[in-house]
Amino acid sequence: SNYNDNDSENFQKVTWFLDNVNKVNFKNSNIDILDIGSGGGVLIHKMLEFLPSSNFYGIEPNELFADLSRRKSGAKNIKIGYYNNNSYSQKFDLIVSSDVLEHVDSQKEFIENIYYDLNSQGILFLIVPSSKNFDSYGPEHDVFNSAHHILYSPETLKEDLVNQGFENIFIKNVKKLNGVWELRAIAYKK
């Protein structure tokens, strides 16, 4: 959260999302946002800079990270635990999930739960490692040795999102500052 914008991957993620989302006046809206896997809160912190009138919620399985997320982001609604469609008793306008989907046991159920937790005009902003990394790195690179259950291509990610009911899906391979490729996706609830 202390990096300048040129060195901040979270700045790049948030500005990419805001540049590509199909919502008029999204920046000035009072919306409910859920960050799944909020970690230390740096993504929420950066989103708050751009969307200060929004209500931020998070869920993080690591208690220390959840506490750090509360302190760093200013969001008070950070729950400790694993995400499911009963994590909060409300619907969200935007659900953000950065570098989580590839770690879950059932990607289908995870995406299905997100779809359920979005309101009728809800948006998903999803970030996962890209299979494009196979072109750049050997099998010993940590992008492959992490506890990843799957690596997505744009086509396979779109297929999983469509199969769970999402539409108007925009997916882009983006090279991060560290040279690793990730997929960024924006998907809309039907």
Side-chain angles (χ1 to χ4, degrees):
S1 62
N2 294 329
Y3 288 145
N4 69 50
D5 291 343
N6 291 332
D7 297 327
S8 170
E9 287 186 2
N10 289 302
F11 173 82
Q12 290 183 348
K13 289 174 184 180
V14 173
T15 55
W16 182 91
F17 170 76
L18 292 173
D19 288 345
N20 290 288
V21 69
N22 293 331
K23 291 284 183 178
V24 178
N25 295 324
F26 192 83
K27 292 181 185 180
N28 299 321
S29 299
N30 180 7
I31 60 174
D32 292 326
I33 300 172
L34 173 63
D35 182 16
I36 300 171
S38 56
V42 291
L43 184 57
I44 293 175
H45 176 79
K46 191 53 71 177
M47 289 189 90
L48 270 166
E49 289 180 22
F50 287 90
L51 306 168
S53 60
S54 297
N55 305 306
F56 283 86
Y57 301 79
I59 186 141
E60 169 57 44
N62 182 301
E63 186 175 350
L64 295 174
F65 280 156
D67 182 56
L68 180 61
S69 184
R70 279 185 213 98
R71 287 186 284 122
K72 279 287 187 189
S73 71
K76 304 295 181 207
N77 300 308
I78 308 292
K79 288 188 175 183
I80 300 166
Y82 290 95
Y83 169 74
N84 62 55
N85 66 348
N86 295 317
S87 296
Y88 284 93
S89 60
Q90 71 178 77
K91 302 287 185 184
F92 294 92
D93 303 299
L94 170 63
I95 294 180
V96 178
S97 177
S98 179
D99 296 308
V100 175
L101 179 63
E102 67 275 11
H103 296 282
V104 301
D105 291 332
S106 175
Q107 290 79 28
K108 177 182 183 266
E109 182 180 347
F110 187 82
I111 296 169
E112 188 176 88
N113 288 339
I114 289 173
Y115 190 87
Y116 173 83
D117 280 344
L118 285 168
N119 72 28
S120 62
Q121 302 293 312
I123 302 168
L124 168 62
F125 178 31
L126 181 66
I127 302 166
V128 295
S130 173
S131 63
K132 188 171 178 71
N133 288 306
F134 284 117
D135 298 338
S136 305
Y137 302 106
E140 70 285 346
H141 194 277
D142 68 351
V143 75
F144 305 118
N145 293 326
S146 299
H148 294 170
H149 295 288
I150 189 169
L151 281 176
Y152 281 100
S153 68
E155 297 79 17
T156 56
L157 182 57
K158 184 173 185 175
E159 181 180 336
D160 277 4
L161 293 170
V162 167
N163 287 341
Q164 296 310 313
F166 284 97
E167 63 182 8
N168 298 327
I169 300 165
F170 176 67
I171 300 173
K172 180 98 172 147
N173 264 305
V174 177
K175 196 172 198 177
K176 299 189 317 183
L177 294 172
N178 66 2
V180 174
W181 289 94
E182 67 184 8
L183 291 175
R184 296 181 186 167
I186 299 173
Y188 301 83
K189 187 170 182 176
K190 282 186 184 177

